């Protein structure tokens, strides 16, 4: 029993650290997919979706856009790996648009798994 407890105490923290890294990688991959879809949207429509339209404009035609050729994603816009919606702002503070997840804690800033994940 002692040996099992020692092994669990050694292996568990390493395992859970890997899970956190995986969630961060998933968020980065989703943001990358949004960027590609947004670029295709811009090529078709002539501009990026407005902040008010958000990332949902990649799946549903906004009113009055005859040139919209979507949907631009294969599946609906996902939540980030921690169950929160991604934040989208156009024009962005760091480029044409900003896409942001606040990480595990859902708050600005942080380190490790709590760090913000963005497209800039």
């Amino acid at each position: 029993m002692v040996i099992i407890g020692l092994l669990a105490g050694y292996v568990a923290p390493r395992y859970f650290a890997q899970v956190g890294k995986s969630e961060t990688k998933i968020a980065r991959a989703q943001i990358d997919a949004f960027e590609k879809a947004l670029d295709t949207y811009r090529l078709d429509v002539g501009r990026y979706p407005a902040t008010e339209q958000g990332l949902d404009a990649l799946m549903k035609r906004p009113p009055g856009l005859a040139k919209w050729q979507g949907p631009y994603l294969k599946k609906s816009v996902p939540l980030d790996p921690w169950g929160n919606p991604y934040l989208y702002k156009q024009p962005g503070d760091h480029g044409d648009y900003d896409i942001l997840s606040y990480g595990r804690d859902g708050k600005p800033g942080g380190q490790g798994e709590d760090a913000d994940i963005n497209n800039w």
Side-chain angles (χ1 to χ4, degrees):
M1 293 296 268
V2 172
I3 294 172
I4 292 173
L6 290 171
L7 285 173
Y10 178 74
V11 172
R14 293 179 186 269
Y15 171 75
F16 288 113
Q18 292 302 318
V19 170
K21 288 179 185 176
S22 296
E23 289 171 333
T24 300
K25 287 180 183 179
I26 290 168
R28 290 190 194 286
Q30 288 175 332
I31 288 173
D32 185 55
F34 296 149
E35 288 181 306
K36 290 178 174 123
L38 285 164
D39 288 341
T40 303
Y41 178 102
R42 186 182 64 80
L43 288 172
D44 288 349
V45 175
R47 61 177 174 77
Y48 292 110
T51 300
E52 298 77 31
Q53 294 168 322
L55 296 172
D56 288 336
L58 299 173
M59 294 302 297
K60 300 177 205 159
R61 180 190 308 265
L65 289 182
K67 294 182 179 180
W68 190 87
Q69 299 294 313
Y72 297 95
L73 296 171
K74 291 183 181 181
K75 297 180 182 178
S76 63
V77 177
L79 297 174
D80 72 13
W82 301 277
N84 301 309
Y86 285 95
L87 303 175
Y88 171 78
K89 181 180 177 186
Q90 196 284 321
D93 296 327
H94 305 278
D96 291 329
Y97 56 84
D98 293 346
I99 305 171
L100 173 70
S101 165
Y102 284 132
R104 180 182 63 181
D105 66 354
K107 299 175 185 173
Q111 296 179 346
E113 291 177 64
D114 295 338
D116 299 347
I117 302 155
N118 54 54
N119 67 317
W120 60 88

